Amino acid sequence: MPVTVSMTVNGKAVSGEVEPRTLLVQFIRENLKLTGTHVGCDTSQCGACVVHIDGTSVKSCTVLAMQAEGSEVNTIESLATNDELHPMQAAFRENHGLQCGFCTPGMVMSAVDLVKENPDPSEQEIREWLEGNICRCTGYHNIVKSIKAGAEAMRS
Amino acid sequence: MYEFDYQRPASLADAVSALQSAEDGQLLAGGHTLLPTLKQRLARPSDLIDISSIGELRGIAVDGDTITVGATTTHAEVEGSEAVRSAIPALADLAGMIGDPQVRHRGTIGGSIANNDPAADYPGAVLGLGATVVTNKREITADDFFLGLFETALAEDEIITAVRFSKPEKACYMKFAQPASRFSLVGAFVAKTSGGVRVAVTGAGQEGVFRVTEMEAALDANFSADAIANIAVPDDNLNSDIHGSAEYRAHLIGVMAKRAIAGCG
């Protein structure tokens, strides 16, 4: 039996008809057509689907759309403003923090949340924070460099 | 996932009646065990009853040497709580070792212990600290709560509301994580409490978390890693899988317990 779910996504009030078992990531990708959020493993391990719910990073493949009812959700599409990349996105581009790019939206969303909690993370802290974000190209070295640079840019 | 109906009651009383009236109701808090289980079609509840927005179930309260953690308090909240860190640092450390940051933002203490996964971390702390599980019906001591593999003393319509911990003299949790899943292959929680030393082991037992009473007795007499150096844990009831044989896990119990004692300082 379809139900109606309503939330705020990237600052816009949205609602849609979903099945109760619809995942938040499905709602974002299929109902809202915001395909920047990726599904990698679908088992809450890889982090390609990371979005923010009420300002906190979560894996949207392991949240029901209904659980986000009434919440503020932000996806990777929320970061750039007026065609200007968010400092973390710019840092990933500048430092070549991606290879195939599939994990990048989740990496960036995860990184933005880290910097919110810890404005000047050490390399070790960045690596520990990325426990739940997997890059199958194994491009971690530049991802860590990007986050360090992105954090610095976000501070200034 | 099979189909289900979704309900979000506003109060504990409403959650209890939803659970009682559902054909096969299942509580949902953070969903970080339940949703993966449903995706694999290992369970088929008729209703998911989302208790995550019931305010009375969430939060950390301090009363003297007692810390009460609400059932739907997330791992990240316990990890980041100054109150928990100052009273029972081992508990905050343990919460910070679960999964990854995003999992810790959603997963809850009540969900973890209600599920009683044999490789979960929280059962180690709850049993190791001799905590009390508070439900809508009664209070259950940790020793009576964990009954076996994915089995607890909870009745069908019983809801964990909080877990109450007493501040130990000292405590430490040491975990040997399975390298891919980060679940504990073996985790040892050692606590020196007013009622004596407690050693709880998670990850290793076929029936879930258990106490090592022989180590406890030795540590009551002499709280040092040397005191348990010659205590061998039998491997009869330990898990044996591609990640580690029962014999290997038995050895790790001794190693992790000694590290935990050293970590108590």
Side-chain angles (χ1 to χ4, degrees), chain B residues 142-191:
Chain B
D143 288 304
D144 293 332
F145 182 80
F146 300 105
L147 297 187
L149 194 67
F150 298 108
E151 249 192 81
T152 67
L154 291 171
E156 289 280 319
D157 60 348
E158 191 164 16
I159 300 178
I160 299 173
T161 56
V163 184
R164 208 169 54 222
F165 297 92
S166 296
K167 180 181 169 173
E169 201 179 302
K170 38 180 129 175
C172 181
Y173 178 63
M174 284 287 168
K175 167 179 177 175
F176 191 95
Q178 201 276 333
S181 74
R182 303 294 195 243
F183 271 92
S184 55
L185 201 61
V186 170
F189 198 105
V190 174

Side-chain angles (χ1 to χ4, degrees), chain A residues 32-135:
Chain A
L32 306 180
K33 309 292 181 199
L34 293 170
T35 54
T37 303
H38 292 169
V39 179
C41 66
D42 196 27
T43 54
S44 42
Q45 295 176 66
C46 82
C49 66
V50 170
V51 302
H52 296 180
I53 297 183
D54 297 329
T56 300
S57 58
V58 302
K59 292 178 169 176
S60 60
C61 79
T62 311
V63 179
L64 298 172
M66 289 303 290
Q67 287 177 285
E69 166 78 28
S71 302
E72 300 262 346
V73 175
N74 279 312
T75 70
I76 187 74
E77 287 91 346
S78 70
L79 293 186
T81 44
N82 303 324
D83 291 333
E84 194 178 322
L85 291 180
H86 182 278
M88 188 60 76
Q89 290 173 307
F92 268 70
R93 185 171 69 176
E94 188 62 30
N95 292 277
H96 197 67
L98 64 149
Q99 290 180 35
C100 83
F102 191 86
C103 70
T104 313
M107 289 284 179
V108 171
M109 293 308 281
S110 193
V112 169
D113 192 25
L114 165 65
V115 176
K116 196 188 73 191
E117 289 191 20
N118 180 355
D120 188 11
S122 67
E123 180 183 333
Q124 182 64 26
E125 287 168 333
I126 293 170
R127 287 182 185 275
E128 281 173 10
W129 185 265
L130 293 183
E131 170 99 47
N133 290 87
I134 294 174
C135 169

Side-chain angles (χ1 to χ4, degrees), chain B residues 5 22 40 47 66 91 115 151 166 177 182-184 207 243:
Chain B
D5 286 331
Q40 293 181 72
D47 294 76
T66 303
L91 184 60
N115 187 51
E151 249 192 81
S166 296
R182 303 294 195 243
F183 271 92
S184 55
E207 296 300 316
H243 309 302

Side-chain angles (χ1 to χ4, degrees), chain B residues 57 59-61 67-71 73 78 84 91 109 161-165:
Chain B
L57 296 183
I60 295 163
I67 299 261
T68 304
V69 181
T73 307
V78 172
V84 174
L91 184 60
I109 187 169
T161 56
V163 184
R164 208 169 54 222
F165 297 92

